[in-house]
Amino acid sequence: MDAFMETHYMRVMPFLLEGLMYTLLITGVGLFFGFILGAIFGLARLSKSKIIYGIATVYVEVLRGTPILAQILFIYFGLPDVLGFNIDKITASIIAIAVNAGAYIAEIVRGAVYSIDKGQSEAGRSIGLTRGQTMRYIIWPQAFKRMIPPLGNQFVISLKDTSLFSVIAVGELTYMGQQYYGLTFAAFEALTMVCLLYLAITVPASIYLRRVERRLDV
């Protein structure tokens, strides 16, 4: 046991746990704002206003049509030239996750709301509810249940996408693994533990989401 504790498999763990903290921070905060963006633009994609629909469509298509790696480079290196000030690496990473995930969540929201039978809206209006109240009290609760599986999948995708932020030296999980094997040349051991830590998050998350789906009968 003592011999195992002295191997690179265990020595790398302090590096990786520090990186895991940033990975979860970026993913959690990024998806929080991503859901807000997704809800706004997803509902905008259902708007009868051509202007609102057009703006939302441009956002969704541009963000879904470009790789997140290009987006983080644009946010971290490109935007400061226009804004006149630098953006912190962690902040840039959170923004990248938020705007990228927001585009995909917008389609999740749009699809979920659109899938609710139109009779539900008509029923709400028939009892005197406004369009906003109908959405809030009747359509949205039903639609949100249908969003749970794809939102869970988006969490896993965004979590793995954080590994790309190593290109701007964000101290997330993959980057810290790279730093360790750069010093020790123990690439196999370091990357094995990196993969196991990703799996330690994504596998339980997937199992939990399946249970939630069954409980809600999604």
Side-chain angles (χ1 to χ4, degrees):
M1 185 64 179
D2 290 339
F4 177 74
M5 295 297 292
E6 291 300 317
T7 64
H8 289 295
Y9 291 107
M10 295 306 298
R11 289 178 179 176
V12 72
M13 287 304 293
F15 287 79
L16 299 187
L17 291 176
E18 179 182 348
L20 182 61
M21 178 185 68
Y22 283 108
T23 293
L24 294 174
L25 172 67
I26 293 169
T27 304
V29 178
L31 284 178
F32 172 78
F33 289 107
F35 182 77
I36 295 173
L37 288 173
I40 292 171
F41 284 99
L43 294 176
R45 290 266 283 169
L46 296 169
S47 174
K48 294 181 180 179
S49 169
K50 291 184 179 180
I51 296 176
I52 295 176
Y53 174 82
I55 293 172
T57 299
V58 169
Y59 166 77
V60 170
E61 295 302 327
V62 169
L63 271 297
R64 293 179 69 196
T66 54
I68 191 172
L69 179 58
Q71 292 164 17
I72 182 60
L73 292 174
F74 177 80
I75 292 168
Y76 187 66
F77 293 110
L79 280 184
D81 290 342
V82 177
L83 300 176
F85 59 86
N86 292 327
I87 302 175
D88 176 78
K89 291 183 291 188
I90 300 297
T91 302
S93 300
I94 290 172
I95 293 172
I97 287 292
V99 297
N100 180 271
Y104 289 92
I105 293 172
E107 286 299 277
I108 293 171
V109 170
R110 183 191 66 82
V113 172
Y114 190 77
S115 70
I116 303 301
D117 189 89
K118 291 183 179 179
Q120 299 284 333
S121 297
E122 296 170 357
R125 301 302 293 274
S126 69
I127 61 174
L129 297 180
T130 64
R131 186 174 181 180
Q133 290 173 328
T134 301
M135 173 60 70
R136 179 180 178 183
Y137 296 112
I138 298 177
I139 305 300
W140 185 260
Q142 297 179 72
F144 185 75
K145 288 175 62 176
R146 300 186 182 186
M147 295 178 205
I148 292 175
L151 285 176
N153 185 57
Q154 184 60 50
F155 166 78
V156 173
I157 292 172
S158 294
L159 178 75
K160 293 186 292 184
D161 281 345
T162 60
S163 64
L164 298 173
F165 299 153
S166 60
V167 298
I168 60 170
V170 174
E172 45 72 50
L173 183 55
T174 300
Y175 179 79
M176 295 305 289
Q178 291 174 329
Q179 291 295 102
Y180 182 83
Y181 73 69
L183 294 172
T184 63
F185 303 102
F188 180 83
E189 294 90 336
L191 292 177
T192 295
M193 297 308 292
V194 166
C195 292
L196 288 176
L197 282 177
Y198 277 118
L199 288 172
I201 300 170
T202 58
V203 172
S206 298
I207 294 172
Y208 176 74
L209 285 166
R210 284 196 293 270
R211 289 180 178 176
V212 171
E213 290 173 36
R214 288 195 297 268
R215 188 176 302 135
L216 296 177
D217 192 26
V218 177

